[in-house]
Amino acid sequence: MASQKKLKILFVSAEVSPFAKTGGLADVAGSLPQALAVMGHDVRIAMPRYKFITHPTETRMDFPVLMGYRKETAIIREYYLDAFQGDVRKTVPVYFVDNYQYFDRDNLYCYYDECERFAFFCRAVIEMLPGLDFKPDIIHCNDWQTGPIPLLLKDIYGILPFYRDIASVFTVHNLHYQGNYPRECLGLLGLAEDYYNQDKLEFYGNVSYLKAGLLYADIINTVSKTYAREIQTPDYGEGMDGLLRSRAGDLYGIVNGIHYHEFNPATDPNIARNYDEKSIEGKRENKRAVQQAMKLPERDVPVIGLISRLVDQKGLDLVADSFAELMKYNIQIALLGSGDPYYEKFFTDMAQKYTDKTAAYIGFNARLAQQIYAGADIFLMPSRFEPCGLGQLISLRYGTIPVVRATGGLADTVTDYDENTGNGNGFVFHEYSSEAFMKTVLRAISIYNDRKDLWTRLVTSVMRMDFSWPASAAEYVKLYRAAIEKRLLHTTTVEGISRK
Ligand code: ADP
């Protein structure tokens, strides 16, 4: 059957774990392609080669990319990522797009010439394909850094036969980050001035890379069904809700999975003691280890973990407003995060004030993150909005019970625990208020303290849940096929050829 044909997929992302990561996008970009490869698809990844990526690569080619009136050299370096699930082993080629001027820098983002860096990246990704002799059926773009690709494919490169029927899917991992830049960046993308127009890329006086992806991709999706609904409303739409409503027929929600080999308490080399759902007492040693690592007294009290980018989205004002009250209880808080200087200072101050109850590590530390997931009892994610959220999925995998606000992917993956029936896998509140947050944290603490039997059963049951990739990866394949179908319809209509 034609629909059984294996697909050629190019997955494009500005961050991919294990090479470069600031948040959940990297986890998805590192693990979804592997799941697709295991299903038998020919999937390859493209990402920038940042300075700190030192994996051994093979140089495949270099070529000039026109950036306004200048030419910049793109060097394509290839690396092979092993993908495995059970006994199935596959290889996912990773194309690093290198340019010393744009990417040989200490950090991933937040530079003055961001629009230029990612205009270059998008164009280099498209232009490398004929030289690699790889013509994908689908280019899967992710977040604003890759937003121009669907547009460039259709309106610029699409005049060349090689590109004409390549379909695109654009995934929004976070609508808040939009890549909005002055109109001059149109020239860097090789686009004419008439793209500066409300019906095209203009967005409140800027050119929006995100809008390019939302408008021009054959299919768009986001990372949970609830967030897909939410972003069509003014409250969550970040100014794009009208556009998203106009594309509602092409907008889908697919919840993320997590990499079950990487995030596996039974084999995780980062934690003090490996354990699974049959040996959850192993969490106790991990609790002691995390207390030691974070210089908290080794006490048998509920340890509450918080691992997050420290930004408003994550509901940290609820945590801050409740902090003094929380500190009246016999608990410990282990926080790992970086971001907004206001929150970095707030949590550093709290750790200094409540030395025996709060520890804060300000920075990014993948190993410590695993230690907290394994050693904590409760995990906080009181987000204001949350496209999917991976923290709660990783914590569930490690038997650490999440306290979440019912929004986006948190609403789709965590259901409130019912002491009477034993149903549910976490503690959920709805209203965005510190009262609702505090009440829910206290409920979790009291069940932990007073109903050890129920708590043990809850930990065991959440560790048995399945949030691995295969089911969601199969949904993506359906989206790819729908996008290919749409693209084919479009290109054949353009040529006036009936498909029947
Ligand atoms: P977001 O993508 O909005 O940052 P997610 O919950 O989807 O949030 O994904 C966050 C990912 O980044 C998780 O894997 C989490 O463990 C990890 N993470 C966040 N902050 C840190 C940090 N400071 N150190 C290590 N890992 C972190």
Side-chain angles (χ1 to χ4, degrees):
M1 246 167 68
S3 66
Q4 296 307 305
K5 175 183 160 247
K6 296 298 180 197
L7 299 176
K8 290 189 197 164
I9 305 156
L10 181 69
F11 194 96
V12 191
S13 172
E15 51 183 277
V16 180
S17 181
F19 311 109
K21 168 168 168 175
T22 67
L25 168 62
D27 289 320
V28 174
S31 51
L32 172 56
Q34 293 192 38
L36 293 163
V38 166
M39 290 165 79
H41 301 288
D42 178 357
V43 51
R44 310 183 187 191
I45 297 173
M47 69 173 291
R49 196 204 73 101
Y50 303 105
K51 184 179 182 176
F52 48 84
I53 299 175
T54 51
H55 294 68
T57 54
E58 237 174 69
T59 303
R60 288 294 302 267
M61 61 175 159
D62 61 75
F63 53 91
V65 177
L66 194 62
M67 298 297 295
Y69 298 105
R70 279 199 341 268
K71 281 187 183 151
E72 280 292 336
T73 303
I75 307 164
I76 307 300
R77 304 182 192 281
E78 187 168 7
Y79 177 82
Y80 297 97
L81 190 65
D82 282 331
F84 51 90
Q85 188 183 301
D87 293 336
V88 187
R89 275 174 194 270
K90 298 277 169 158
T91 300
V92 176
V94 180
Y95 300 117
F96 290 112
V97 176
D98 202 351
N99 171 284
Y100 299 120
Q101 178 181 312
Y102 294 133
F103 299 124
D104 211 33
R105 305 182 188 182
D106 292 334
N107 297 308
L108 281 76
Y109 310 127
C110 298
Y111 291 101
Y112 67 95
D113 55 352
E114 216 74 329
C115 64
E116 186 170 338
R117 298 171 77 215
F118 288 102
F120 169 81
F121 175 63
C122 290
R123 299 186 64 173
V125 164
I126 298 174
E127 290 185 21
M128 73 180 183
L129 295 173
L132 292 171
D133 198 19
F134 180 60
K135 183 179 165 188
D137 299 303
I138 188 100
I139 301 188
H140 184 166
C141 306
N142 295 275
D143 276 355
W144 68 263
Q145 298 90 343
T146 62
I149 291 177
L151 157 64
L152 295 173
L153 264 185
K154 276 199 174 137
D155 284 11
I156 307 292
Y157 295 90
I159 54 165
L160 305 171
F162 179 89
Y163 295 103
R164 191 180 309 159
D165 52 2
I166 299 179
S168 60
V169 165
F170 182 64
T171 301
V172 178
H173 296 261
N174 195 327
L175 198 70
H176 181 69
Y177 302 101
Q178 305 188 329
N180 298 332
Y181 300 111
R183 100 190 251 174
E184 291 69 48
C185 72
L186 283 178
L188 298 169
L189 288 165
L191 296 172
E193 276 294 306
D194 65 349
Y195 281 85
Y196 191 77
N197 167 331
Q198 266 189 24
D199 294 332
K200 294 189 170 173
L201 301 196
E202 194 269 335
F203 185 68
Y204 295 102
N206 277 313
V207 163
S208 171
Y209 280 29
L210 180 81
K211 192 174 175 189
L214 294 178
L215 264 178
Y216 287 87
D218 294 302
I219 296 279
I220 50 184
N221 83 297
T222 183
V223 286
S224 67
K225 290 200 187 331
T226 297
Y227 193 60
R229 277 195 304 276
E230 287 173 340
I231 57 178
Q232 296 178 59
T233 67
D235 279 354
Y236 291 86
E238 307 274 354
M240 298 284 182
D241 46 296
L243 162 55
L244 288 162
R245 283 194 299 278
S246 76
R247 292 216 63 190
D250 296 321
L251 171 61
Y252 296 83
I254 300 179
V255 74
N256 289 331
I258 53 171
H259 196 303
Y260 260 41
H261 283 284
E262 190 182 336
F263 298 117
N264 184 358
T267 54
D268 190 336
N270 299 299
I271 64 178
R273 159 105 186 259
N274 291 116
Y275 62 99
D276 61 18
E277 70 277 8
K278 293 191 210 84
S279 55
I280 60 167
E281 63 286 353
K283 276 185 80 65
R284 233 176 288 143
E285 199 173 321
N286 287 303
K287 183 191 265 193
R288 278 198 294 274
V290 87
Q291 286 168 327
Q292 269 173 21
M294 298 194 78
K295 302 199 170 49
L296 284 165
E298 288 179 42
R299 292 188 191 138
D300 185 20
V301 296
V303 171
I304 302 180
L306 202 169
I307 302 170
S308 183
R309 291 184 296 115
L310 301 180
V311 292
D312 271 344
Q313 171 201 337
K314 301 293 180 180
L316 300 168
D317 51 339
L318 302 186
V319 183
D321 290 349
S322 317
F323 217 85
E325 183 65 17
L326 268 176
M327 290 293 100
K328 291 182 185 156
Y329 293 85
N330 203 11
I331 59 166
Q332 290 179 346
I333 293 191
L335 175 133
L336 165 61
S338 63
D340 185 336
Y342 172 82
Y343 287 117
E344 291 190 351
K345 178 166 180 338
F346 175 82
F347 289 114
T348 306
D349 289 350
M350 291 303 104
Q352 276 161 9
K353 182 165 176 190
Y354 302 103
T355 42
D356 60 340
K357 287 192 173 175
T358 296
Y361 180 107
I362 303 300
F364 193 92
N365 187 328
R367 187 175 159 83
L368 182 60
Q370 295 316 110
Q371 292 168 351
I372 295 175
Y373 284 121
D377 302 294
I378 295 168
F379 189 76
L380 296 186
M381 268 182 100
S383 304
R384 190 182 285 275
F385 71 92
E386 194 60 72
C388 176
L390 295 177
Q392 83 282 16
L393 301 183
I394 304 169
S395 79
L396 287 166
R397 175 90 164 129
Y398 282 75
T400 302
I401 309 301
V403 171
V404 308
R405 191 173 91 82
T407 182
L410 296 172
D412 292 359
T413 55
V414 183
T415 49
D416 197 36
Y417 177 63
D418 180 335
E419 287 174 63
N420 298 314
T421 62
N423 291 337
N425 60 354
F427 296 89
V428 181
F429 64 102
H430 292 260
E431 186 189 282
Y432 192 82
S433 72
S434 40
E435 290 74 28
F437 166 70
M438 192 65 199
K439 209 168 128 196
T440 312
V441 176
L442 292 184
R443 192 155 71 87
I445 293 173
S446 88
I447 297 180
Y448 176 89
N449 282 333
D450 306 333
R451 295 301 310 269
K452 277 270 153 40
D453 54 330
L454 294 187
W455 191 268
T456 306
R457 247 179 280 155
L458 177 59
V459 170
T460 311
S461 77
V462 304
M463 288 188 72
R464 291 209 173 107
M465 300 183 88
D466 184 3
F467 291 103
S468 62
W469 266 110
S472 294
E475 293 288 296
Y476 270 103
V477 173
K478 285 189 206 155
L479 277 202
Y480 297 155
R481 295 199 193 283
I484 291 164
E485 188 77 2
K486 257 194 94 190
R487 186 80 196 123
L488 206 62
L489 202 65
H490 174 79
T491 47
T492 50
T493 311
V494 166
E495 288 169 6
I497 302 165
S498 165
R499 300 179 59 235
K500 297 235 163 127

